[in-house]
DNA sequence: AAGTCGGGGAG
DNA sequence: CTCCCAGACTT
């Protein structure tokens, strides 16, 4: 049997039941694909369900404000996906009359939709014969055909895309595409793949040559940068006992764009309380400090793909009002990074 | 072509 | 600890 035939047979027996699986609505497929970019099904599924419940149609999503979208996205990471999701929803409503474009080429014009996602939507929703190439497909093809070209090299990207197109089943593209990805996720997994009872065990090059654990080949990752974050949490209590603090929105480039955080004093090296006492005015210039408390003695190391954030939180009590103060009970309404959300949860204002 | 962008779970 | 996840975008 052909490669694609075995994939299809395997898929029909082993496919998981997923919330978006039985749908061909472009909105649902698109939403699921954006959420699942670089994200495991288990992590993304609850977000998908909340998005569908909150925004049942692309029109609802387009009419939301970015703040709502980011809040719902909070904790998923890669927040440009959420901003692009919102922008693309507006494009569908404003430029396409609320109806998703129905071709690979047209789908590519949507923000946040690249080669993989356009292939996935066009094939799953419209049966357009476009081969998907995601992390699963790279792994399955590299192993089965014994290819050691690095999957993240320019040559590898081109090679695997053309190979995927060569071996796909254009007449059953909807199930074939989902099948090869499902196969990679369940059977041909990155570690400890289930080669013992695999439908390809008699023809898999990697298995026959003992190269399963060496494929696919990937160029080395970039190194990590260390940064030192000091979050200053101003707290003012008025005569009625109401507490106020402050959040700033991150702007410009870099991590956590458009998310909110406490006033941040970043430094070249770790700071101590004496440094904070002097330098807090760099980010809270008008604040009259009464008392500064060290929240965590040992820095919390928040790890991102390219950065390690050595973070300390400093509580700054004041007896006067300050600029942009917000009631502490409102802070949960703002979209914040997990690092900040964890602090808020633990601190209990 | 290389860098950037999150967070979490598996091993 | 390392690796990688239904990748896209910028420089």
């Amino acid at each position: 049997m052909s490669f694609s035939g075995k994939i299809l047979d395997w898929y029909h027996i082993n496919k998981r039941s997923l919330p978006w699986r039985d749908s061909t609505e472009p909105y649902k497929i698109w939403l699921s694909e954006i959420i699942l970019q670089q994200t495991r099904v288990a992590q993304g599924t609850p977000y998908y369900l909340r998005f569908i419940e909150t925004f049942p149609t692309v029109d609802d999503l387009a009419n939301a404000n970015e703040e709502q979208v980011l809040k719902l996205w909070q904790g998923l990471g890669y927040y440009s996906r959420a901003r692009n999701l919102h922008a693309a929803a507006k494009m569908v409503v404003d430029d396409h009359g609320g109806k998703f474009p129905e071709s690979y080429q047209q789908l590519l014009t949507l923000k946040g939709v690249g080669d993989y996602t356009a292939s996935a939507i066009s094939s799953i929703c419209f049966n357009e014969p476009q081969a998907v190439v995601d992390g699963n497909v790279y792994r399955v093809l590299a192993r089965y055909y014994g290819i050691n070209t690095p999957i993240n090299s320019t040559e590898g990207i081109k090679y695997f895309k053309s190979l995927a197109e060569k071996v796909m089943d254009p007449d059953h593209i909807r199930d074939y595409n989902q099948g090869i990805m499902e196969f990679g996720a369940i059977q041909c997994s990155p570690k400890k793949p289930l080669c013992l009872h695999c439908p390809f065990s008699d023809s898999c090059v990697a298995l026959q040559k003992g190269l399963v654990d060496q494929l696919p080949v990937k160029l080395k990752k970039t190194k990590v940068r260390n940064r030192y974050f000091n979050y200053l949490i101003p707290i003012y209590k008025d005569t009625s006992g109401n507490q106020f603090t402050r959040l700033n929105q991150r702007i410009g480039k870099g991590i956590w764009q458009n998310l909110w955080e406490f006033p941040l004093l970043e430094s070249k090296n770790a700071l101590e309380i004496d440094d904070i006492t002097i330098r807090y005015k760099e980010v809270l210039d008008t604040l009259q400090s009464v008392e500064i408390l060290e929240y965590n003695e040992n820095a919390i190391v928040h790890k991102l793909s390219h950065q390690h954030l050595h973070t300390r939180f400093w509580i700054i009590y004041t007896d006067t009002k300050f600029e942009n103060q917000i009631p502490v009970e409102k802070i949960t309404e703002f979209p914040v990074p997990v690092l900040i959300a964890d602090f808020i949860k633990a601190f209990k204002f």
Side-chain angles (χ1 to χ4, degrees):
Chain A
M1 187 183 294
S2 65
F3 175 83
S4 61
K6 287 186 179 180
I7 288 290
L8 283 166
D9 284 353
W10 181 93
Y11 181 58
H12 291 133
I13 296 170
N14 295 286
K15 75 171 184 178
R16 290 170 290 183
S17 173
L18 300 172
W20 52 87
R21 182 75 97 193
D22 296 321
S23 175
T24 57
E25 287 178 51
Y27 175 61
K28 291 184 176 176
I29 299 303
W30 164 70
L31 177 61
S32 72
E33 294 298 347
I34 301 298
I35 287 176
L36 292 175
Q37 285 170 7
Q38 295 294 287
T39 304
R40 293 173 192 282
V41 168
Q43 185 186 7
T45 297
Y47 285 84
Y48 171 83
L49 295 172
R50 286 196 289 269
F51 264 89
I52 288 295
E53 184 173 350
T54 308
F55 307 118
T57 69
V58 67
D59 205 64
D60 297 320
L61 180 55
N63 288 333
N65 54 45
E66 188 181 280
E67 200 89 338
Q68 291 177 265
V69 178
L70 283 172
K71 183 64 192 179
L72 209 52
W73 197 273
Q74 179 177 310
L76 244 196
Y78 283 165
Y79 296 93
S80 65
R81 290 183 294 167
R83 298 189 302 271
N84 288 337
L85 183 84
H86 188 222
K90 286 179 174 296
M91 291 173 73
V92 170
V93 169
D94 296 342
D95 305 340
H96 298 86
K99 192 163 173 283
F100 269 83
E102 300 190 354
S103 71
Y104 166 85
Q105 286 296 338
Q106 280 292 307
L107 287 161
L108 267 183
T109 66
L110 296 177
K111 286 232 181 200
V113 175
D115 179 77
Y116 163 76
T117 305
S119 299
I121 300 172
S122 61
S123 63
I124 295 172
C125 300
F126 309 112
N127 266 316
E128 184 174 332
Q130 294 286 345
V132 293
V133 184
D134 73 335
N136 294 305
V137 175
Y138 279 121
R139 186 169 54 254
V140 172
L141 295 181
R143 286 175 176 167
Y144 182 75
Y145 291 101
I147 299 156
N148 58 12
T149 308
I151 61 172
N152 55 343
S153 65
T154 303
E155 182 190 356
I157 292 169
K158 274 182 64 179
Y159 183 85
F160 281 96
K161 177 72 179 179
S162 68
L163 177 59
E165 289 170 341
K166 196 177 89 180
V167 303
M168 71 180 179
D169 181 348
D171 297 325
H172 304 86
I173 195 67
R174 172 181 290 150
D175 282 350
Y176 169 79
N177 270 345
Q178 296 182 81
I180 189 171
M181 291 190 284
E182 191 85 332
F183 180 78
I186 305 294
Q187 179 95 16
C188 196
S189 47
K191 290 173 184 172
K192 305 187 103 178
L194 308 175
C195 300
L196 236 52
H197 49 90
C198 175
F200 297 105
S201 57
D202 62 344
S203 50
C204 175
V205 173
L207 183 59
Q208 290 170 356
K209 292 187 176 177
L211 298 174
V212 172
D213 60 348
Q214 298 177 45
L215 294 174
V217 174
K218 199 170 185 178
L219 264 33
K220 64 179 185 297
K221 62 182 185 303
T222 59
K223 52 183 178 186
V224 174
R225 174 164 67 115
N226 286 301
R227 301 176 72 178
Y228 298 88
F229 278 15
N230 293 279
Y231 279 117
L232 310 181
I233 296 92
I235 298 180
Y236 162 65
K237 187 182 291 189
D238 70 11
T239 52
S240 305
N242 303 308
Q243 288 193 92
F244 300 87
T245 185
R246 175 170 165 179
L247 291 173
N248 299 331
Q249 190 169 28
R250 290 186 70 93
I251 53 171
K253 302 190 178 303
I255 58 172
W256 302 333
Q257 205 177 106
N258 294 10
L259 272 66
W260 296 75
E261 64 186 359
F262 294 105
L264 171 63
L265 177 58
E266 184 175 359
S267 51
K268 283 278 197 181
N269 303 295
L271 299 185
E272 295 306 326
I273 185 130
D274 293 342
D275 306 306
I276 301 297
T277 303
I278 297 168
R279 295 184 57 181
Y280 80 89
K281 286 178 180 296
E282 291 177 22
V283 285
L284 290 166
D285 57 331
T286 65
L287 193 96
Q288 294 294 315
S289 170
V290 178
E291 184 183 15
I292 300 180
L293 255 58
E294 158 195 280
Y295 173 74
N296 56 321
E297 179 179 353
N298 299 316
I300 296 166
V301 184
H302 189 74
K303 296 180 177 179
L304 308 179
S305 347
H306 295 75
Q307 304 179 26
H308 286 183
L309 308 177
H310 302 256
T311 309
R312 295 182 76 178
F313 294 90
W314 306 89
I315 316 301
I316 306 191
Y317 291 105
T318 180
D319 56 7
T320 55
K321 294 180 179 178
F322 50 87
E323 292 180 353
N324 300 101
Q325 62 179 39
I326 58 171
V328 295
E329 61 270 21
K330 295 279 190 189
I331 56 178
T332 56
E333 297 176 10
F334 292 80
V336 298
V338 165
L339 176 63
I340 301 298
D342 286 347
F343 169 82
I344 293 170
K345 187 176 179 184
F347 182 65
K348 301 187 178 69
F349 280 88

